Amino acid sequence: MATTVAGPAGSNNDWRSAETAAGRNVGLSLWRGVRGRCPRCGRGRLFCAFLKVDDHCSICSLDFTGHRADDLPAYLVIVIVGHVLVPIILWIEVDYAPSLAFQLGVYLPITALASIALLQPVKGAVVALQWSLRMHGFDEHPSDELQT
């Protein structure tokens, strides 16, 4: 069941948009972020480089400059990869006691590849979560509007 956060009454009611009059759909925006797409429209690209978030969506013009993902994606990737690989590695170590060469030749590349593969989807999900919960620069009144 998807959670929505209340939104403004005049929001875009297009069925393809995660932002409706009822609010911003958290589940849909997270899925779009994991796929590297704009959390609002799902069609524009979220990243302009591997981990560089674009300034705005090329389709719906959503401004991404207010996001504050910082180090959270890296911490989440460490937790995910650690919780998946450590039990497997410990099981192999206890039951088979492989050589040091095997450990360095297999565990290290698998850990590095899994971490690199998860970085962009996790960062996209963090940015999408910030948008759906109206955090930081994704609130209804950006800081530059409040000052005028």
Side-chain angles (χ1 to χ4, degrees):
M1 186 166 148
T3 305
T4 58
V5 178
S11 294
N12 182 7
N13 284 330
D14 185 6
W15 67 271
R16 294 171 295 217
S17 176
E19 187 172 27
T20 63
R24 294 181 180 180
N25 188 321
V26 176
L28 181 59
S29 63
L30 279 175
W31 176 243
R32 289 174 174 175
V34 166
R35 290 180 28 233
R37 297 292 173 197
C38 170
R40 180 166 59 188
C41 70
R43 294 178 289 163
R45 292 177 36 169
L46 183 60
F47 297 98
C48 61
F50 180 63
L51 289 176
K52 172 94 170 96
V53 177
D54 207 349
D55 291 335
H56 63 278
C57 175
S58 59
I59 306 296
C60 69
S61 300
L62 175 64
D63 183 22
F64 297 134
T65 57
H67 86 87
R68 296 290 176 260
D70 299 329
D71 292 335
L72 180 62
Y75 294 135
L76 292 176
V77 166
I78 290 169
V79 168
I80 293 167
V81 171
H83 278 83
V84 170
L85 290 181
V86 168
I88 296 169
I89 290 171
L90 288 175
W91 169 67
I92 292 172
E93 287 295 320
V94 169
D95 287 354
Y96 301 105
S99 67
L100 181 62
F102 176 83
Q103 294 175 26
L104 291 174
V106 175
Y107 299 158
L108 189 61
I110 288 174
T111 304
L113 290 174
S115 299
I116 291 170
L118 283 176
L119 268 174
Q120 189 180 43
V122 169
K123 185 168 184 175
V126 168
V127 173
L129 182 66
Q130 289 176 356
W131 174 81
S132 64
L133 297 178
R134 289 180 166 74
M135 297 171 68
H136 307 296
F138 295 120
D139 57 353
E140 293 178 35
H141 304 288
S143 58
D144 59 343
E145 286 182 13
L146 293 175
Q147 294 173 355
T148 58

